Amino acid sequence: VSTEAYVTALYENSLRRDPEPAGFDYWVGVIGDGFVSREDALTFFSESLENELRNAENLDNGIFLA
């Protein structure tokens, strides 16, 4: 997929929102220029404070696999 589609998916799937223009442009730029890999961007989004706060009540007791 294109870098633009990938960044949009990061916002939608990790943060559950549309990207803001400045953030979108930033991530498209650093990924497109090769400064940040797609994998590292995914890690950043998944470990971001925004994502942690959004999921805090779901993670308070940990994650259990059955």
Side-chain angles (χ1 to χ4, degrees), residues 41-60:
L42 173 60
T43 300
F44 178 85
F45 273 78
S46 66
E47 294 182 0
S48 69
L49 180 59
E50 182 177 348
N51 188 44
E52 287 180 20
L53 291 174
R54 189 178 61 76
N55 288 297
E57 68 181 51
N58 298 326
L59 300 174
D60 282 344

Side-chain angles (χ1 to χ4, degrees), residues 9-41:
L10 288 175
Y11 274 91
E12 291 175 348
N13 293 309
S14 295
L15 306 180
R16 303 280 188 232
R17 65 176 176 86
D18 293 332
E20 76 285 351
F24 178 80
D25 291 344
Y26 170 80
W27 286 107
V28 167
V30 297
I31 293 170
D33 290 341
F35 293 117
V36 175
S37 69
R38 288 182 176 205
E39 295 83 4
D40 287 343

